[in-house]
mmCIF file of all heavy atoms in Angstrom:
data_model
loop_
_atom_site.group_PDB
_atom_site.id
_atom_site.type_symbol
_atom_site.label_atom_id
_atom_site.label_comp_id
_atom_site.label_asym_id
_atom_site.label_seq_id
_atom_site.Cartn_x
_atom_site.Cartn_y
_atom_site.Cartn_z
ATOM 1 N N LEU A 1 0.353 1.866 0.768
ATOM 2 C CA LEU A 1 -0.865 1.961 -0.028
ATOM 3 C C LEU A 1 -1.566 0.607 -0.091
ATOM 4 O O LEU A 1 -0.963 -0.410 -0.420
ATOM 5 C CB LEU A 1 -0.509 2.418 -1.441
ATOM 6 C CG LEU A 1 -1.653 2.880 -2.325
ATOM 7 C CD1 LEU A 1 -2.243 4.175 -1.768
ATOM 8 C CD2 LEU A 1 -1.178 3.095 -3.750
ATOM 9 N N GLY A 2 -2.847 0.594 0.261
ATOM 10 C CA GLY A 2 -3.620 -0.642 0.195
ATOM 11 C C GLY A 2 -3.642 -1.442 1.477
ATOM 12 O O GLY A 2 -4.318 -2.475 1.560
ATOM 13 N N TYR A 3 -2.924 -0.983 2.493
ATOM 14 C CA TYR A 3 -2.982 -1.651 3.801
ATOM 15 C C TYR A 3 -2.437 -0.710 4.865
ATOM 16 O O TYR A 3 -1.832 0.309 4.556
ATOM 17 C CB TYR A 3 -2.193 -2.961 3.795
ATOM 18 C CG TYR A 3 -0.686 -2.822 3.897
ATOM 19 C CD1 TYR A 3 -0.010 -3.192 5.053
ATOM 20 C CD2 TYR A 3 0.082 -2.322 2.838
ATOM 21 C CE1 TYR A 3 1.371 -3.073 5.154
ATOM 22 C CE2 TYR A 3 1.452 -2.206 2.933
ATOM 23 C CZ TYR A 3 2.097 -2.584 4.099
ATOM 24 O OH TYR A 3 3.458 -2.456 4.198
ATOM 25 N N ALA A 4 -2.664 -1.037 6.134
ATOM 26 C CA ALA A 4 -2.091 -0.277 7.240
ATOM 27 C C ALA A 4 -0.901 -1.051 7.779
ATOM 28 O O ALA A 4 -0.909 -2.286 7.805
ATOM 29 C CB ALA A 4 -3.132 -0.071 8.336
ATOM 30 N N LEU A 5 0.116 -0.325 8.224
ATOM 31 C CA LEU A 5 1.350 -0.967 8.658
ATOM 32 C C LEU A 5 1.102 -1.969 9.777
ATOM 33 O O LEU A 5 1.805 -2.965 9.898
ATOM 34 C CB LEU A 5 2.353 0.094 9.117
ATOM 35 C CG LEU A 5 3.791 -0.361 9.325
ATOM 36 C CD1 LEU A 5 4.374 -0.961 8.050
ATOM 37 C CD2 LEU A 5 4.649 0.803 9.799
ATOM 38 N N SER A 6 0.092 -1.737 10.600
ATOM 39 C CA SER A 6 -0.167 -2.615 11.736
ATOM 40 C C SER A 6 -1.114 -3.763 11.397
ATOM 41 O O SER A 6 -1.501 -4.531 12.272
ATOM 42 C CB SER A 6 -0.755 -1.798 12.891
ATOM 43 O OG SER A 6 -1.929 -1.125 12.477
ATOM 44 N N THR A 7 -1.507 -3.891 10.122
ATOM 45 C CA THR A 7 -2.420 -4.967 9.733
ATOM 46 C C THR A 7 -1.894 -5.690 8.509
ATOM 47 O O THR A 7 -0.937 -5.270 7.883
ATOM 48 C CB THR A 7 -3.819 -4.417 9.405
ATOM 49 O OG1 THR A 7 -3.773 -3.762 8.126
ATOM 50 C CG2 THR A 7 -4.298 -3.446 10.460
ATOM 51 N N PHE A 8 -2.561 -6.782 8.165
ATOM 52 C CA PHE A 8 -2.193 -7.534 6.965
ATOM 53 C C PHE A 8 -3.363 -7.599 5.983
ATOM 54 O O PHE A 8 -3.397 -8.462 5.118
ATOM 55 C CB PHE A 8 -1.772 -8.961 7.350
ATOM 56 C CG PHE A 8 -0.392 -9.057 7.916
ATOM 57 C CD1 PHE A 8 -0.153 -8.774 9.248
ATOM 58 C CD2 PHE A 8 0.670 -9.443 7.124
ATOM 59 C CE1 PHE A 8 1.125 -8.877 9.778
ATOM 60 C CE2 PHE A 8 1.953 -9.551 7.641
ATOM 61 C CZ PHE A 8 2.179 -9.268 8.966
ATOM 62 N N ASN A 9 -4.316 -6.695 6.112
ATOM 63 C CA ASN A 9 -5.484 -6.698 5.232
ATOM 64 C C ASN A 9 -5.140 -5.934 3.958
ATOM 65 O O ASN A 9 -5.361 -4.730 3.840
ATOM 66 C CB ASN A 9 -6.686 -6.062 5.938
ATOM 67 C CG ASN A 9 -7.942 -6.149 5.112
ATOM 68 O OD1 ASN A 9 -8.059 -6.985 4.215
ATOM 69 N ND2 ASN A 9 -8.891 -5.277 5.396
ATOM 70 N N VAL A 10 -4.574 -6.632 2.980
ATOM 71 C CA VAL A 10 -3.987 -5.995 1.806
ATOM 72 C C VAL A 10 -5.002 -5.887 0.668
ATOM 73 O O VAL A 10 -5.620 -6.881 0.273
ATOM 74 C CB VAL A 10 -2.755 -6.783 1.308
ATOM 75 C CG1 VAL A 10 -2.061 -6.026 0.186
ATOM 76 C CG2 VAL A 10 -1.793 -7.050 2.457
ATOM 77 N N GLN A 11 -5.145 -4.667 0.152
ATOM 78 C CA GLN A 11 -6.007 -4.415 -1.001
ATOM 79 C C GLN A 11 -5.143 -4.337 -2.273
ATOM 80 O O GLN A 11 -3.933 -4.125 -2.200
ATOM 81 C CB GLN A 11 -6.768 -3.100 -0.816
ATOM 82 C CG GLN A 11 -7.600 -3.059 0.449
ATOM 83 C CD GLN A 11 -8.612 -4.184 0.515
ATOM 84 O OE1 GLN A 11 -9.324 -4.454 -0.466
ATOM 85 N NE2 GLN A 11 -8.682 -4.862 1.653
ATOM 86 N N PRO A 12 -5.753 -4.518 -3.451
ATOM 87 C CA PRO A 12 -4.971 -4.470 -4.697
ATOM 88 C C PRO A 12 -4.231 -3.151 -4.874
ATOM 89 O O PRO A 12 -4.723 -2.089 -4.492
ATOM 90 C CB PRO A 12 -6.043 -4.655 -5.790
ATOM 91 C CG PRO A 12 -7.171 -5.363 -5.096
ATOM 92 C CD PRO A 12 -7.179 -4.844 -3.693
ATOM 93 N N MET A 13 -3.033 -3.231 -5.458
ATOM 94 C CA MET A 13 -2.220 -2.037 -5.711
ATOM 95 C C MET A 13 -2.822 -1.209 -6.848
ATOM 96 O O MET A 13 -3.210 -1.744 -7.876
ATOM 97 C CB MET A 13 -0.799 -2.465 -6.074
ATOM 98 C CG MET A 13 0.109 -1.343 -6.522
ATOM 99 S SD MET A 13 0.397 -0.109 -5.245
ATOM 100 C CE MET A 13 1.255 -1.112 -4.035
ATOM 101 N N ASP A 14 -2.906 0.088 -6.635
ATOM 102 C CA ASP A 14 -3.427 1.017 -7.641
ATOM 103 C C ASP A 14 -2.325 2.040 -7.926
ATOM 104 O O ASP A 14 -2.029 2.894 -7.086
ATOM 105 C CB ASP A 14 -4.685 1.710 -7.119
ATOM 106 C CG ASP A 14 -5.354 2.581 -8.174
ATOM 107 O OD1 ASP A 14 -4.647 3.124 -9.054
ATOM 108 O OD2 ASP A 14 -6.594 2.740 -8.115
ATOM 109 N N LEU A 15 -1.714 1.970 -9.104
ATOM 110 C CA LEU A 15 -0.611 2.867 -9.433
ATOM 111 C C LEU A 15 -1.043 4.330 -9.486
ATOM 112 O O LEU A 15 -0.250 5.226 -9.202
ATOM 113 C CB LEU A 15 0.019 2.461 -10.765
ATOM 114 C CG LEU A 15 0.939 1.236 -10.719
ATOM 115 C CD1 LEU A 15 1.404 0.875 -12.119
ATOM 116 C CD2 LEU A 15 2.131 1.482 -9.796
ATOM 117 N N ARG A 16 -2.295 4.584 -9.836
ATOM 118 C CA ARG A 16 -2.754 5.972 -9.863
ATOM 119 C C ARG A 16 -2.809 6.553 -8.454
ATOM 120 O O ARG A 16 -2.457 7.712 -8.229
ATOM 121 C CB ARG A 16 -4.125 6.058 -10.544
ATOM 122 C CG ARG A 16 -4.055 5.867 -12.056
ATOM 123 C CD ARG A 16 -5.393 5.636 -12.676
ATOM 124 N NE ARG A 16 -5.984 4.370 -12.259
ATOM 125 C CZ ARG A 16 -7.064 3.827 -12.804
ATOM 126 N NH1 ARG A 16 -7.686 4.445 -13.797
ATOM 127 N NH2 ARG A 16 -7.532 2.673 -12.375
ATOM 128 N N GLU A 17 -3.258 5.721 -7.492
ATOM 129 C CA GLU A 17 -3.261 6.170 -6.104
ATOM 130 C C GLU A 17 -1.840 6.364 -5.591
ATOM 131 O O GLU A 17 -1.556 7.280 -4.829
ATOM 132 C CB GLU A 17 -4.006 5.157 -5.219
ATOM 133 C CG GLU A 17 -5.521 5.211 -5.358
ATOM 134 C CD GLU A 17 -6.071 6.574 -4.971
ATOM 135 O OE1 GLU A 17 -5.631 7.147 -3.950
ATOM 136 O OE2 GLU A 17 -6.930 7.097 -5.710
ATOM 137 N N PHE A 18 -0.943 5.483 -6.010
ATOM 138 C CA PHE A 18 0.468 5.621 -5.649
ATOM 139 C C PHE A 18 1.007 6.963 -6.120
ATOM 140 O O PHE A 18 1.670 7.688 -5.361
ATOM 141 C CB PHE A 18 1.268 4.470 -6.263
ATOM 142 C CG PHE A 18 2.760 4.585 -6.087
ATOM 143 C CD1 PHE A 18 3.364 4.192 -4.910
ATOM 144 C CD2 PHE A 18 3.556 5.097 -7.102
ATOM 145 C CE1 PHE A 18 4.736 4.302 -4.734
ATOM 146 C CE2 PHE A 18 4.923 5.214 -6.951
ATOM 147 C CZ PHE A 18 5.514 4.812 -5.762
ATOM 148 N N GLN A 19 0.722 7.322 -7.353
ATOM 149 C CA GLN A 19 1.208 8.585 -7.895
ATOM 150 C C GLN A 19 0.595 9.783 -7.173
ATOM 151 O O GLN A 19 1.282 10.758 -6.862
ATOM 152 C CB GLN A 19 0.909 8.662 -9.393
ATOM 153 C CG GLN A 19 1.691 7.665 -10.229
ATOM 154 C CD GLN A 19 1.309 7.711 -11.689
ATOM 155 O OE1 GLN A 19 1.068 8.774 -12.246
ATOM 156 N NE2 GLN A 19 1.251 6.550 -12.330
ATOM 157 N N ARG A 20 -0.705 9.722 -6.899
ATOM 158 C CA ARG A 20 -1.360 10.834 -6.206
ATOM 159 C C ARG A 20 -0.749 11.048 -4.817
ATOM 160 O O ARG A 20 -0.501 12.187 -4.398
ATOM 161 C CB ARG A 20 -2.864 10.586 -6.108
ATOM 162 C CG ARG A 20 -3.618 10.944 -7.375
ATOM 163 C CD ARG A 20 -5.107 10.997 -7.149
ATOM 164 N NE ARG A 20 -5.702 9.666 -7.094
ATOM 165 C CZ ARG A 20 -6.176 9.007 -8.152
ATOM 166 N NH1 ARG A 20 -6.092 9.549 -9.359
ATOM 167 N NH2 ARG A 20 -6.715 7.814 -8.024
ATOM 168 N N SER A 21 -0.525 9.959 -4.101
ATOM 169 C CA SER A 21 0.068 10.067 -2.775
ATOM 170 C C SER A 21 1.501 10.573 -2.855
ATOM 171 O O SER A 21 1.928 11.416 -2.054
ATOM 172 C CB SER A 21 0.023 8.710 -2.071
ATOM 173 O OG SER A 21 0.616 8.773 -0.803
ATOM 174 N N PHE A 22 2.256 10.080 -3.834
ATOM 175 C CA PHE A 22 3.642 10.502 -4.018
ATOM 176 C C PHE A 22 3.701 12.014 -4.256
ATOM 177 O O PHE A 22 4.493 12.728 -3.628
ATOM 178 C CB PHE A 22 4.246 9.746 -5.200
ATOM 179 C CG PHE A 22 5.736 9.853 -5.330
ATOM 180 C CD1 PHE A 22 6.555 8.838 -4.877
ATOM 181 C CD2 PHE A 22 6.323 10.964 -5.916
ATOM 182 C CE1 PHE A 22 7.932 8.928 -4.990
ATOM 183 C CE2 PHE A 22 7.695 11.070 -6.042
ATOM 184 C CZ PHE A 22 8.509 10.044 -5.581
ATOM 185 N N VAL A 23 2.853 12.500 -5.148
ATOM 186 C CA VAL A 23 2.833 13.935 -5.461
ATOM 187 C C VAL A 23 2.437 14.743 -4.230
ATOM 188 O O VAL A 23 3.026 15.792 -3.929
ATOM 189 C CB VAL A 23 1.872 14.212 -6.636
ATOM 190 C CG1 VAL A 23 1.670 15.718 -6.825
ATOM 191 C CG2 VAL A 23 2.378 13.568 -7.914
ATOM 192 N N LYS A 24 1.464 14.265 -3.505
ATOM 193 C CA LYS A 24 0.981 14.965 -2.310
ATOM 194 C C LYS A 24 2.113 15.230 -1.321
ATOM 195 O O LYS A 24 2.272 16.353 -0.808
ATOM 196 C CB LYS A 24 -0.114 14.124 -1.649
ATOM 197 C CG LYS A 24 -0.516 14.550 -0.250
ATOM 198 C CD LYS A 24 -1.544 13.567 0.305
ATOM 199 C CE LYS A 24 -1.824 13.793 1.774
ATOM 200 N NZ LYS A 24 -2.821 12.819 2.288
ATOM 201 N N TRP A 25 2.944 14.202 -1.069
ATOM 202 C CA TRP A 25 3.988 14.347 -0.068
ATOM 203 C C TRP A 25 5.265 14.969 -0.632
ATOM 204 O O TRP A 25 6.125 15.393 0.129
ATOM 205 C CB TRP A 25 4.272 12.995 0.576
ATOM 206 C CG TRP A 25 3.135 12.561 1.444
ATOM 207 C CD1 TRP A 25 2.143 11.669 1.123
ATOM 208 C CD2 TRP A 25 2.836 13.027 2.750
ATOM 209 N NE1 TRP A 25 1.250 11.548 2.150
ATOM 210 C CE2 TRP A 25 1.656 12.380 3.175
ATOM 211 C CE3 TRP A 25 3.442 13.932 3.611
ATOM 212 C CZ2 TRP A 25 1.082 12.600 4.423
ATOM 213 C CZ3 TRP A 25 2.877 14.156 4.869
ATOM 214 C CH2 TRP A 25 1.711 13.490 5.257
ATOM 215 N N GLN A 26 5.365 15.077 -1.951
ATOM 216 C CA GLN A 26 6.445 15.850 -2.549
ATOM 217 C C GLN A 26 6.139 17.344 -2.506
ATOM 218 O O GLN A 26 7.039 18.166 -2.384
ATOM 219 C CB GLN A 26 6.660 15.421 -4.006
ATOM 220 C CG GLN A 26 7.500 14.164 -4.171
ATOM 221 C CD GLN A 26 8.980 14.430 -3.928
ATOM 222 O OE1 GLN A 26 9.676 14.998 -4.755
ATOM 223 N NE2 GLN A 26 9.449 14.018 -2.765
ATOM 224 N N THR A 27 4.888 17.693 -2.607
ATOM 225 C CA THR A 27 4.523 19.101 -2.756
ATOM 226 C C THR A 27 4.034 19.751 -1.466
ATOM 227 O O THR A 27 3.865 20.974 -1.435
ATOM 228 C CB THR A 27 3.434 19.260 -3.833
ATOM 229 O OG1 THR A 27 2.290 18.461 -3.483
ATOM 230 C CG2 THR A 27 3.945 18.801 -5.192
ATOM 231 N N PHE A 28 3.807 18.995 -0.396
ATOM 232 C CA PHE A 28 3.200 19.603 0.797
ATOM 233 C C PHE A 28 4.114 20.618 1.479
ATOM 234 O O PHE A 28 3.658 21.452 2.258
ATOM 235 C CB PHE A 28 2.746 18.509 1.785
ATOM 236 C CG PHE A 28 3.748 18.138 2.852
ATOM 237 C CD1 PHE A 28 3.598 18.574 4.158
ATOM 238 C CD2 PHE A 28 4.824 17.310 2.556
ATOM 239 C CE1 PHE A 28 4.511 18.215 5.142
ATOM 240 C CE2 PHE A 28 5.730 16.939 3.533
ATOM 241 C CZ PHE A 28 5.578 17.405 4.835
ATOM 242 N N ILE A 29 5.415 20.605 1.156
ATOM 243 C CA ILE A 29 6.342 21.553 1.776
ATOM 244 C C ILE A 29 6.497 22.837 0.970
ATOM 245 O O ILE A 29 7.152 23.774 1.428
ATOM 246 C CB ILE A 29 7.729 20.916 1.978
ATOM 247 C CG1 ILE A 29 8.337 20.488 0.633
ATOM 248 C CG2 ILE A 29 7.664 19.762 2.960
ATOM 249 C CD1 ILE A 29 9.791 20.066 0.716
ATOM 250 N N GLU A 30 5.935 22.902 -0.232
ATOM 251 C CA GLU A 30 6.134 24.079 -1.081
ATOM 252 C C GLU A 30 5.588 25.338 -0.400
ATOM 253 O O GLU A 30 4.481 25.348 0.127
ATOM 254 C CB GLU A 30 5.466 23.874 -2.442
ATOM 255 C CG GLU A 30 6.194 22.857 -3.300
ATOM 256 C CD GLU A 30 5.609 22.725 -4.695
ATOM 257 O OE1 GLU A 30 4.656 23.483 -5.007
ATOM 258 O OE2 GLU A 30 6.093 21.885 -5.461
ATOM 259 N N GLY A 31 6.419 26.386 -0.411
ATOM 260 C CA GLY A 31 6.022 27.639 0.210
ATOM 261 C C GLY A 31 6.067 27.626 1.720
ATOM 262 O O GLY A 31 5.520 28.531 2.361
ATOM 263 N N THR A 32 6.701 26.619 2.305
ATOM 264 C CA THR A 32 6.783 26.504 3.760
ATOM 265 C C THR A 32 8.253 26.430 4.178
ATOM 266 O O THR A 32 9.159 26.408 3.351
ATOM 267 C CB THR A 32 6.075 25.229 4.252
ATOM 268 O OG1 THR A 32 6.902 24.085 3.958
ATOM 269 C CG2 THR A 32 4.720 25.051 3.590
ATOM 270 N N ASP A 33 8.479 26.331 5.487
ATOM 271 C CA ASP A 33 9.834 26.133 6.005
ATOM 272 C C ASP A 33 10.029 24.685 6.459
ATOM 273 O O ASP A 33 10.901 24.382 7.272
ATOM 274 C CB ASP A 33 10.121 27.100 7.160
ATOM 275 C CG ASP A 33 9.222 26.854 8.364
ATOM 276 O OD1 ASP A 33 8.245 26.072 8.249
ATOM 277 O OD2 ASP A 33 9.480 27.431 9.433
ATOM 278 N N GLY A 34 9.205 23.776 5.924
ATOM 279 C CA GLY A 34 9.310 22.369 6.285
ATOM 280 C C GLY A 34 10.173 21.595 5.302
ATOM 281 O O GLY A 34 10.615 22.123 4.275
ATOM 282 N N TRP A 35 10.391 20.335 5.603
ATOM 283 C CA TRP A 35 11.199 19.475 4.736
ATOM 284 C C TRP A 35 10.557 18.099 4.669
ATOM 285 O O TRP A 35 9.724 17.732 5.503
ATOM 286 C CB TRP A 35 12.640 19.398 5.240
ATOM 287 C CG TRP A 35 13.604 18.823 4.241
ATOM 288 C CD1 TRP A 35 14.373 17.710 4.383
ATOM 289 C CD2 TRP A 35 13.880 19.336 2.925
ATOM 290 N NE1 TRP A 35 15.115 17.485 3.248
ATOM 291 C CE2 TRP A 35 14.830 18.480 2.344
ATOM 292 C CE3 TRP A 35 13.406 20.429 2.201
ATOM 293 C CZ2 TRP A 35 15.325 18.679 1.046
ATOM 294 C CZ3 TRP A 35 13.899 20.631 0.917
ATOM 295 C CH2 TRP A 35 14.849 19.768 0.352
#
């Protein structure tokens, strides 16, 4: 969050964005056969 792995252009950390992204990748498998 706040930068790309291949770069060093770091933006300030936003905990709300962290939470939104965390929830997104926790829930994207619901109702599917993925993990």
Side-chain angles (χ1 to χ4, degrees):
L1 194 67
Y3 78 109
L5 193 58
S6 57
T7 75
F8 282 82
N9 185 21
V10 186
Q11 303 302 313
M13 173 63 64
D14 186 330
L15 283 175
R16 287 167 294 190
E17 284 300 317
F18 174 82
Q19 293 176 39
R20 279 193 282 270
S21 179
F22 192 100
V23 171
K24 167 184 171 180
W25 290 100
Q26 279 285 284
T27 57
F28 93 104
I29 61 170
E30 289 185 3
T32 75
D33 64 350
W35 194 240

